[in-house]
Amino acid sequence: MVLPEPREQLYRALHDALLGERDHIDLELRLGPDAHNARVLRFLAEPVRAGSAPVRTVRAVCRDVTADVRARESAERALREARAQRERAEAVAEVAERLREAVLPGFPPELARHGLEAAVVYRPAGHAARVGGDWYKTRVLPTGRVLVALGDARGHGPDAVTLMAKLRYALAGLAFTGESVERLTGWLNLLACDDGEESTATSVIAHYCSDRGLLRWTCAGHPPPLLVRRGGVRFLDPPPEGPGLPLGVLPGTPYTAAETPLRPGDVVLLYSDGLIERRGSDLDRDASRLLRAVRGGTGAGIPPGGAALDAFARGLVDALMAPDAEDDATVLGFRRVEPGA
């Protein structure tokens, strides 16, 4: 009844015991038609002899330990699977983070010559494997306008980072056509729609015209930008037709632009929803929390200089983002300054 592999172990142990070469036996014997459905017996035995006489018998006891063995094997399988899942999650996080580092830029030095200084802070989600799809782009265009954009691709991990990279690189190229932000947003929407049903994203795409001090921007399902002016804080007025649908929802969706005149010293904040959204909260509560945090961080105003703007953005993220946040967060702040300052 014993299966072949433990049977050989049993024969060898009994052989050695009868020859006096071992003084005890402790084996697990599997009985049954196959290893998967076998019963498991613990076989304990010892040789019996008088003094130096030859072994005359072997006495043994068998106990059915099938339930214990199956519980142990189940726990070992669960542990192996948990280790494998952790290794996969760590690999996914590493790939996603390397992709992100490869595609997220710094700021072009010519921004200051066109009347802007900028700072950005990115903070990943609390769980390393949940790297998300936040992206941003700033670039001085041949027309003299400055492109400023921030978006959030749906989901986490390599899929989100891949979509983020597609949108960012597409925008970087399309912006050189000189087309309006309305047309650029529409093109990105078509790109996301062609990428598949799950490829959705939100964005704010803006042109800053330094000669007019004017910001023209569209909103595709994204949280509205904030304006910090002389210590006051408010959300920018939305485009005339309201915020448009997120990218990738419906081909041919029209987008309209809002126009916001900026004064010297004005700071505009773009941010992803991971900065403010909380489980069980609502949009009004999230917006109020953001306004309080910005007011608390500005005080009498944000001091001049890129370092002060960067410190303010970092303080804002520290104040709003929980250590165990489930989504990554990005804050992109830019301030109107005198051109060439």
Side-chain angles (χ1 to χ4, degrees):
M1 295 177 63
V2 179
L3 294 174
E5 184 177 350
R7 187 189 310 154
E8 292 299 321
Q9 297 174 1
L10 175 63
Y11 289 167
R12 190 178 306 113
L14 289 173
H15 174 274
D16 294 345
L18 289 169
L19 292 181
E21 295 178 0
R22 59 191 301 175
D23 57 6
H24 74 279
I25 300 172
D26 187 350
L27 298 174
E28 282 189 357
L29 304 179
R30 294 181 179 260
L31 289 70
D34 55 63
H36 181 71
N37 298 304
R39 291 177 58 201
V40 184
L41 300 182
R42 186 175 183 189
F43 178 77
L44 301 171
E46 62 180 3
V48 179
R49 61 184 173 184
S52 58
V55 174
R56 57 187 176 86
T57 188
V58 174
R59 59 189 178 193
V61 62
C62 290
R63 185 166 67 89
D64 190 326
V65 293
T66 304
D68 295 341
V69 169
R70 289 181 177 170
R72 182 187 68 207
E73 291 175 344
S74 177
E76 291 173 350
R77 285 195 301 270
L79 180 59
R80 288 194 298 269
E81 180 61 25
R83 288 173 177 168
Q85 288 182 356
R86 184 175 67 249
E87 290 171 358
R88 288 194 294 270
E90 290 172 352
V92 166
E94 182 178 359
V95 170
E97 190 61 28
R98 287 183 180 274
L99 283 171
R100 170 173 292 284
E101 291 173 355
V103 300
L104 287 187
F107 294 113
E110 61 268 26
L111 277 185
R113 296 198 298 270
H114 289 77
L116 286 183
E117 61 184 11
V120 68
V121 177
Y122 167 74
R123 189 74 53 83
H127 194 297
R130 294 181 60 82
V131 177
D134 287 7
W135 59 275
Y136 62 91
K137 181 65 182 175
T138 58
R139 170 166 286 182
V140 177
L141 302 174
T143 60
R145 293 176 296 187
V146 179
L147 172 71
V148 182
L150 186 144
D152 184 2
R154 179 182 184 271
H156 299 87
D159 289 342
V161 177
T162 301
L163 177 59
M164 172 267 286
K166 289 179 181 178
L167 295 174
R168 180 185 168 274
Y169 282 125
L171 178 62
L174 292 170
F176 272 79
T177 62
E179 290 288 346
S180 65
V181 290
E182 299 97 310
R183 180 67 62 86
L184 295 178
T185 309
W187 283 339
L188 286 191
N189 178 54
L190 289 175
L191 174 66
C193 288
D194 289 342
D195 201 59
E197 293 182 359
E198 299 299 320
S199 295
T200 59
T202 64
S203 71
V204 169
I205 300 173
H207 280 157
Y208 175 66
C209 308
S210 59
D211 56 342
R212 302 165 58 195
L214 183 68
L215 185 73
R216 298 191 76 252
W217 57 280
T218 61
C219 180
H222 201 80
L226 274 174
L227 175 65
V228 181
R229 173 176 289 168
R230 295 182 179 178
V233 182
R234 67 175 179 86
F235 289 106
L236 294 186
D237 295 330
E241 304 298 327
L245 292 174
L247 306 175
V249 174
L250 184 65
T253 298
Y255 295 92
T256 58
E259 295 189 350
T260 305
L262 298 182
R263 304 173 186 173
D266 283 355
V267 173
V268 177
L269 298 175
L270 307 181
Y271 52 94
S272 60
D273 57 10
L275 180 69
I276 58 173
E277 286 189 351
R278 299 290 183 273
R279 180 176 296 180
S281 185
D282 57 49
L283 293 177
D284 291 339
R285 192 180 306 168
D286 294 338
S288 297
R289 184 169 55 249
L290 174 61
L291 288 172
R292 289 195 302 270
V294 174
R295 291 189 183 107
T298 57
I302 304 172
L309 186 59
D310 181 77
F312 165 75
R314 293 185 182 280
L316 184 61
V317 173
D318 290 340
L320 287 172
M321 193 170 181
D324 58 348
E326 297 183 354
D327 197 3
D328 52 349
T330 303
V331 173
L332 170 61
F334 56 96
R335 171 163 39 197
R336 181 184 174 184
V337 295
E338 292 300 327

